[in-house]
Amino acid sequence: MSNRLGYQCSVSRSAGHETGTARGDTVKGRCEICDKTVGFGHNVSHSNRKTNRMWRPNVQKAVLLIKGQPTRVAACTRCIRTNRKHTATA
């Protein structure tokens, strides 16, 4: 396999292998509560060159009280914090 400059690349992926699913317990890049997903934008250097980048939500596995029931969800840290505040006052 060669890249766009013609150099040979030694990286090859086996059929059926997807990045990030090796362990099977990976957390999705989407909050199950507020549906926050990846944001896109640019890194801007000192010379004002713009390169693409992503802002990923900080999604964690947590057990939250949803409708009075403890539920295991993949939630962003903002939702975990908000849920903790609401359960403290209830």
Side-chain angles (χ1 to χ4, degrees):
M1 181 166 66
S2 63
N3 63 6
R4 64 185 176 95
L5 297 176
Y7 295 111
Q8 291 295 321
C9 298
S10 61
V11 177
S12 64
R13 294 212 169 104
S14 61
H17 174 71
E18 296 178 18
T19 307
T21 59
R23 287 187 277 158
D25 61 347
T26 58
V27 177
K28 294 186 275 185
R30 175 186 299 269
C31 176
E32 294 178 10
I33 297 172
C34 67
D35 288 331
K36 185 185 288 186
T37 59
V38 178
F40 296 96
H42 292 98
N43 280 333
V44 181
S45 68
H46 180 68
S47 63
N48 208 26
R49 289 184 66 179
K50 294 168 182 71
T51 56
N52 295 331
R53 68 155 292 176
M54 290 190 300
W55 281 272
R56 293 182 181 91
N58 189 2
V59 177
Q60 306 290 327
K61 287 183 182 175
V63 177
L64 302 178
L65 284 177
I66 299 174
K67 297 180 182 175
Q69 296 286 348
T71 308
R72 186 176 180 136
V73 294
C76 65
T77 52
R78 172 59 59 183
C79 291
I80 294 171
R81 185 169 183 252
T82 303
N83 185 278
R84 190 172 294 148
K85 288 181 178 182
H86 285 294
T87 56
T89 59

